[in-house]
Amino acid sequence: MNPPAPAALDRGALPWLFATALATTLPHAEHQPVWLSAATAGALVLAATLWWRGRRLPRGWFLALAVVAGCAGIVVEFRTLFGRDAGVAMLVLFMALKLLELRSLRDAHVTVMLGYFLLLTHYFYSQSIPTGLWLLVSLLIATATLIRLHGGPASPALPTLRYAGLLLLQAAPFMLVLYLLFPRIAGPLWGLPQDAHSARSGLSEQIAPGSIANLVQSADIAFRVRFEGVPPGRDKLYWRGPVLENFDGATWRRRPAPGPEPAIDRQGPTYRYETTLEPHQQAWLLALDAPTTLPANAYLTPTLTAVSREPVRQRQRYAFASAVEHRFNLDEGRETLRRNRLLPGERNPRARWLAAQWLAQDADPERLVGRALALFSGSEFAYTLQPPLLGENPVDDFLFTARRGFCEHYASAFAVLMRAAGVPARVVGGYQGGEPNPVDGYWVIRQSDAHAWAEVWLEKRGWVRVDPTAEVAPARLESGIAAAIPAGEPLPALVQFDADWLKGLRYRWEAANNAWNQYVLGYNPERQREFLSRLGLPDADWRSLVGLLAGACGGVLLAVVAATLYRRPRADPALRLWRRALVRLKRRQVQPAPGETPLALARRLAGQRPDLAPAVAAVAAAYCRARYGPDGDLETLRTAVAELP
Amino acid sequence: MLAPKIVAERPIDALLQAAGRVVLGKEREIRLALACLLARGHLLIEDIPGVGKTTLAHALARLLGLRFSRIQFTSDLLPADITGVSLFDRENNAFRFLPGPIFAQVVLADEINRATPKTQSALLEAMEERQVTAEGETRALPDPFFVIATQNPAHQIGTFPLPESQLDRFLLRLELGYPDRAAERALFTAGSQREEAERLHPLLTADELPRLQSEVAAIHAAPALIDYLQALVEATRRDAAYRHGLSPRAGLALLAAGRAWAWLDGRNMVLPDDLQAVLPAVACHRLRSAQGGGHARAEDIAALIRTVPIP
């Protein structure tokens, strides 16, 4: 017995299928190999051209050859046919080639279903708002294509799209229920999206002249903070990153060394806050100096940096409490103090000579700190993002020749001077300041807030933060980098936009992103439990979740069915326009009497309100024609209503 | 705007003007009478003698170029006096039917409530069936066939009031009423209007009227208007002031009269305005007051219209 002949595909459906293929594959062009994108585009163009000219589709052997060539290309590119990248590349390839064999309705269905599946794959790479919006549009197109396939040539484009939109809207309650109630799995199911892993700029484990100045060019968000209650003053906001104790004459490096927990002595109030850290592939959590309460899976290094046990690979929330006024490690270990006085033998001789001179005059460490700061606050030093190149002895070059530099230059030079004078000193990397977003109240700390400062250890005071940048450019701490950079110097992107509307727009966009991160992407098992206990279901296990899910879906279904059955008839469009006109007339103290027809109203007004009468007469006549006439002419009525005073 | 004013060129308007010159000061009533004719309905004029009922009927018949006959109803009028009788023709040795006065295109049935119910029903049957059955033979009445019946107000002595079911067969009922002062003065100075009516020339040919009637029947009635029609009919049924509401036939009559009214206005669609305009004439004789038993008055209908929102 022969299988039944496949149902033929009508010509008009093909543009829909092309649109579906384009919408569902296009975002992959960003990360897949160029040759694949070119091949996909080529297949699409070829298919569209053949359709336009009404030519025959290529024969089977051509497609078989293309499949083999494409798979070979993928194997060469990815060394495998499996896994995320290779798998997605294969799907894109198949989608492109399927366009060249769209003969029957079955082929069209395969294409649309493949499109739906491809939609999912985008989330492997990005889960941002624009991606979500694009996928929503693609979903609409794919669904409309499906409707078009079933509706036949009689369905015009716009109503089809509207119908698809209606269907998706009706599905939205189910989506919401599934999203909220489907048992969450701790950790990502298929691996993280690319944008969680991508090497974003951020603080590194070492600081050399120029490293922070580069970082500051980026307006990317490093993390967001929400304070409980009033936040500390902006100049107190030192977000601590790596502490760099190892200096080779040019570069400061982190040197992890075992040691006791830091001993913190609170001197003022404690501030509670929650940070949402963007992934930066490092372990430090950038807590406010000095953290007194840490999240569960974090600890404090001997140098007071809060670190997580694992590098931060995805956006995550941490709750902290910090004492901004504090002292720590008053009895620092001997070994640590010795290490923080070390300087490499031959380099930066002039700096060491200067420090030796100061030491000879006055050996008191506090006064030595004061002398060094006084040096920077003198008029010779300038704060700039474009320091001149420094040579073999960068600290000497900076202190005695260039005298222009960014925070890392000052922090580094200060620490070198202190070490040369025998005072234990080190450089701390982190962020300073931040900017509150008035839209949602979150503080936003960007890469452009990256900062380096110094710490010295003083008898009876422990480690004391000294920020030499504050001496050169006090504005850096008070109002941020844009205020501190001298006029005329190019500013980091985005930081320079001071136009209010642009700022407002940025605040809003970032607040939207933040909300998306917090509530949509950050909806993890913990949040789900929180949500369910607020619903009165504490400790819901997956069984009760499944039950709840079934119940909620049933409830939504019933509601939808009830709404469909009892749907009130929609008012006639002409009547809606007439009612709109009546609302406007009411504002001018005109109302139809009970049982008064539009024309009668117009006649009455002709005597009473000559100012309104002509416009009302026009509306009444157009309304009568639109509502009672054999051919409802809405346009005239719409214009007439619009022209109503 | 709504009605493109090609109106002045239409013969129907010339007709209305000509009738207005004969029946003075009654433009609206003339218009209603004409609408009734165009809607293929029969007209009942209820008023005291001497206000121009006969003149109006006469004038319309003349202007439309229709054959006219008049039957004066009296208490001794027999059905055969209306439908006709068969006489024995000696020459042909057979009965020959002498058609009665009903075999005309416009029949004026004057003072219909003076005749006995038996005679009344002979007329009303002919109105409904548009044919006459006499002595076993059915004879079609001419087309168009239009009855204008007049009756004296029910309180006048010596009348057999038409029963409900008979009244329902009249599409419209009019009251002419006294002419206003100016019209009456013009009447007094001009002399006999009845003779004026005799001198009128037809403005339509006999075959034009059916065409106009089918034009009227084709006037568009939108779903929204049908909604209003239903709302009006239902309002009469809900209203406790009347014994019964309007029947479905009355609803059809309202729509047909509304179509004719719209057509006279030069429109190709029926508006709520049209229904409101003809509603008193359609409803008054069909609605009997729950208390007292008199018919609804035009003011009652106007009040009823105010209670029905226009959908």
Side-chain angles (χ1 to χ4, degrees), chain A residues 477-497:
Chain A
L477 302 194
E478 282 149 25
S479 22
I481 182 151
I485 300 274
E489 215 172 272
L491 277 169
L494 266 182
V495 177
Q496 60 194 327
F497 291 121

Side-chain angles (χ1 to χ4, degrees), chain A residues 575 594-600 603 614 617-618 620-631, chain B residues 1-2 220-222 224-225 227-228 267-273 276 305-311:
Chain A
L575 183 59
E596 190 172 37
T597 64
L599 292 180
R603 271 195 303 275
Y623 168 64
C624 285
R625 230 191 339 254
R627 187 144 162 78
Y628 300 106
D631 34 42
Chain B
M1 253 169 302
L2 194 62
H220 181 75
L225 184 100
D227 290 343
Y228 186 50
R267 254 181 290 109
N268 63 347
M269 69 197 93
V270 191
L271 295 183
D273 305 73
Q276 291 185 358
I305 285 175
R306 281 196 291 277
T307 66
V308 181
I310 299 168

Side-chain angles (χ1 to χ4, degrees), chain A residues 249-267:
Chain A
T251 304
W252 290 85
R253 289 193 171 78
R254 191 165 76 94
R255 179 198 166 144
E261 281 237 328
I264 301 167
D265 179 14
R266 270 178 235 175
Q267 305 275 316

Side-chain angles (χ1 to χ4, degrees), chain B residues 57-80:
Chain B
H58 217 109
L60 281 181
R62 297 280 309 174
L63 288 167
L64 292 166
L66 299 176
R67 255 185 307 115
F68 176 77
S69 74
R70 176 167 185 246
I71 312 167
Q72 175 63 53
F73 277 49
T74 55
S75 53
D76 56 356
L77 192 75
L78 293 175

Side-chain angles (χ1 to χ4, degrees), chain B residues 41-91:
Chain B
H42 303 290
L43 181 67
L44 178 66
I45 305 178
E46 185 177 292
D47 223 320
I48 52 168
V51 289
K53 298 186 291 260
T54 314
T55 313
L56 172 62
H58 217 109
L60 281 181
R62 297 280 309 174
L63 288 167
L64 292 166
L66 299 176
R67 255 185 307 115
F68 176 77
S69 74
R70 176 167 185 246
I71 312 167
Q72 175 63 53
F73 277 49
T74 55
S75 53
D76 56 356
L77 192 75
L78 293 175
D81 295 333
I82 299 173
T83 55
V85 287
S86 291
L87 297 180
F88 189 76
D89 187 346
R90 278 163 206 266
E91 279 173 34

Side-chain angles (χ1 to χ4, degrees), chain A residues 89-447:
Chain A
M90 281 248 279
L91 286 177
V92 170
L93 177 73
F94 290 164
M95 176 62 126
L97 294 178
K98 192 72 198 166
L99 296 181
L100 292 172
E101 57 166 18
L102 286 174
R103 289 191 175 86
S104 65
L105 199 56
R106 184 184 159 281
D107 294 322
H109 278 150
V110 168
T111 308
V112 177
M113 294 306 150
L114 193 55
Y116 278 128
F117 193 80
L118 270 169
L119 287 181
L120 280 182
T121 61
H122 293 289
Y123 289 121
F124 296 152
Y125 297 94
S126 164
Q127 299 184 348
S128 64
I129 296 180
T131 305
L133 289 178
W134 176 270
L135 294 188
L136 210 57
V137 171
S138 308
L139 183 65
L140 184 73
I141 295 175
T143 308
T145 307
L146 213 49
I147 294 171
R148 173 62 181 74
L149 289 178
H150 290 275
S155 37
L158 222 63
T160 305
L161 279 172
R162 205 177 303 141
Y163 187 37
L166 187 70
L167 283 181
L168 293 184
L169 269 184
Q170 284 171 340
F174 291 100
M175 185 207 75
L176 198 66
V177 165
L178 285 172
Y179 186 83
L180 290 174
L181 297 182
F182 194 84
R184 292 266 143 183
I185 295 148
L189 204 50
W190 298 286
L192 279 167
Q194 192 75 36
D195 53 2
H197 269 313
S198 68
R200 287 272 181 82
S201 60
L203 284 177
S204 72
E205 291 193 303
Q206 56 185 45
I207 287 181
S211 56
I212 290 191
N214 275 337
L215 184 56
V216 160
Q217 301 290 345
S218 154
D220 286 349
I221 290 171
F223 55 103
R224 294 179 168 92
V225 179
R226 191 171 56 191
F227 285 99
E228 289 176 22
V230 185
R234 193 193 157 107
D235 58 336
K236 300 272 175 18
L237 297 178
Y238 279 86
W239 312 95
R240 195 180 188 89
V243 175
L244 314 168
E245 295 180 307
N246 208 358
F247 184 59
D248 67 357
T251 304
W252 290 85
R253 289 193 171 78
R254 191 165 76 94
R255 179 198 166 144
E261 281 237 328
I264 301 167
D265 179 14
R266 270 178 235 175
Q267 305 275 316
T270 311
Y271 295 91
R272 301 196 153 272
Y273 56 95
E274 192 185 65
T275 71
T276 306
L277 210 52
E278 296 291 319
H280 59 67
Q281 319 303 332
Q282 303 282 3
W284 47 76
L285 300 179
L286 300 161
L288 199 57
D289 260 354
T292 53
T293 311
L294 293 178
N297 53 349
Y299 64 96
L300 277 183
T301 64
T303 52
L304 200 65
T305 306
V307 291
S308 143
R309 291 185 201 283
E310 305 234 315
V312 182
R313 293 207 190 282
Q314 52 179 320
R315 195 178 291 113
Q316 210 141 13
R317 271 188 298 269
Y318 300 94
F320 288 104
S322 289
V324 171
E325 309 287 342
H326 64 276
R327 289 180 177 180
F328 86 98
N329 282 7
L330 268 71
D331 351 284
E332 183 63 279
R334 227 165 228 290
E335 169 55 23
T336 310
L337 294 181
R338 188 194 66 79
R339 228 175 37 229
N340 280 297
R341 287 197 196 96
L342 288 180
L343 279 178
E346 295 81 34
R347 300 176 76 176
N348 304 312
R350 293 178 70 185
R352 287 150 56 144
W353 181 76
L354 177 67
Q357 267 194 329
W358 288 349
L359 188 63
Q361 287 163 17
D362 189 345
D364 178 60
E366 295 211 21
R367 277 197 284 281
L368 281 169
V369 170
R371 271 194 100 144
L373 289 181
L375 175 68
F376 294 134
S377 61
S379 57
E380 304 93 72
F381 283 88
Y383 183 72
T384 172
L385 263 178
Q386 299 170 309
L389 276 177
L390 302 176
E392 192 69 358
N393 296 311
V395 176
D396 276 6
D397 288 356
F398 168 69
L399 278 176
F400 302 104
T401 320
R403 289 179 173 163
R404 291 156 55 74
F406 199 57
C407 57
E408 67 261 36
H409 298 96
Y410 289 97
S412 167
F414 176 81
V416 167
L417 284 172
M418 287 299 105
R419 283 190 176 191
V423 180
R426 58 196 184 188
V427 170
V428 184
Y431 295 84
Q432 203 286 319
E435 180 185 29
N437 185 335
V439 177
D440 57 3
Y442 273 80
W443 279 70
V444 176
I445 290 89
R446 296 168 193 285
Q447 300 300 355

Side-chain angles (χ1 to χ4, degrees), chain B:
Chain B
M1 253 169 302
L2 194 62
K5 293 291 180 197
I6 45 163
V7 176
E9 297 155 28
R10 299 191 311 170
I12 207 76
D13 292 292
L15 197 152
L16 282 168
Q17 280 171 17
R21 278 196 297 273
V22 177
V23 184
L24 297 167
K26 297 286 166 203
E27 280 75 19
R28 185 180 170 79
E29 285 72 13
I30 296 168
R31 210 177 172 86
L32 275 170
L34 194 58
C36 186
L37 176 66
L38 288 168
R40 295 182 206 265
H42 303 290
L43 181 67
L44 178 66
I45 305 178
E46 185 177 292
D47 223 320
I48 52 168
V51 289
K53 298 186 291 260
T54 314
T55 313
L56 172 62
H58 217 109
L60 281 181
R62 297 280 309 174
L63 288 167
L64 292 166
L66 299 176
R67 255 185 307 115
F68 176 77
S69 74
R70 176 167 185 246
I71 312 167
Q72 175 63 53
F73 277 49
T74 55
S75 53
D76 56 356
L77 192 75
L78 293 175
D81 295 333
I82 299 173
T83 55
V85 287
S86 291
L87 297 180
F88 189 76
D89 187 346
R90 278 163 206 266
E91 279 173 34
N92 296 327
N93 217 5
F95 281 101
R96 189 165 58 91
F97 183 71
L98 281 180
I102 196 148
F103 287 86
Q105 286 171 313
V106 175
V107 177
L108 175 63
D110 232 348
E111 296 181 283
I112 185 172
N113 55 346
R114 283 182 63 191
T116 56
K118 191 176 178 179
T119 311
Q120 286 174 353
S121 62
L123 171 75
L124 292 161
E125 223 178 288
M127 279 163 58
E128 191 64 20
E129 313 290 330
R130 291 176 187 267
Q131 62 187 19
V132 166
T133 306
E135 284 143 36
E137 214 175 316
T138 301
R139 293 179 178 82
L141 291 170
D143 185 52
F145 174 68
F146 182 45
V147 174
I148 302 178
T150 72
Q151 77 172 348
N152 302 323
H155 52 79
Q156 288 207 341
I157 302 163
T159 57
F160 295 94
L162 289 176
E164 229 74 337
S165 59
Q166 311 272 28
L167 279 174
D168 200 24
R169 302 200 177 159
F170 289 98
L171 185 73
L172 298 186
R173 192 204 66 166
L174 292 183
E175 286 172 18
L176 281 181
Y178 298 116
D180 61 35
R181 232 182 123 73
E184 196 163 21
R185 190 176 177 83
L187 180 73
F188 293 158
T189 44
S192 167
Q193 294 300 301
R194 189 77 63 92
E195 282 167 28
E196 190 73 23
E198 299 291 341
R199 284 197 293 273
L200 285 172
H201 296 292
L203 290 173
L204 285 181
T205 54
D207 55 332
E208 266 175 305
L209 187 60
R211 189 175 53 79
L212 298 187
Q213 284 175 332
S214 55
E215 261 183 53
V216 166
I219 295 286
H220 181 75
L225 184 100
I226 303 294
D227 290 343
Y228 186 50
L229 173 68
Q230 280 192 305
L232 284 174
V233 170
E234 280 160 11
T236 66
R237 294 171 191 167
R238 267 200 316 275
D239 200 330
Y242 308 114
R243 280 191 201 159
H244 314 283
L246 290 178
S247 67
R249 179 160 59 187
L252 282 173
L254 179 57
L255 182 58
R259 280 198 163 106
W261 194 261
W263 185 85
L264 283 172
D265 229 16
R267 254 181 290 109
N268 63 347
M269 69 197 93
V270 191
L271 295 183
D273 305 73
D274 301 319
L275 297 187
Q276 291 185 358
V278 298
L279 185 63
V282 172
C284 278
H285 63 291
R286 289 178 163 103
L287 294 175
R288 200 172 275 279
S289 172
Q291 294 107 18
H295 281 128
R297 289 164 308 155
E299 304 91 82
D300 305 333
I301 300 300
L304 184 110
I305 285 175
R306 281 196 291 277
T307 66
V308 181
I310 299 168

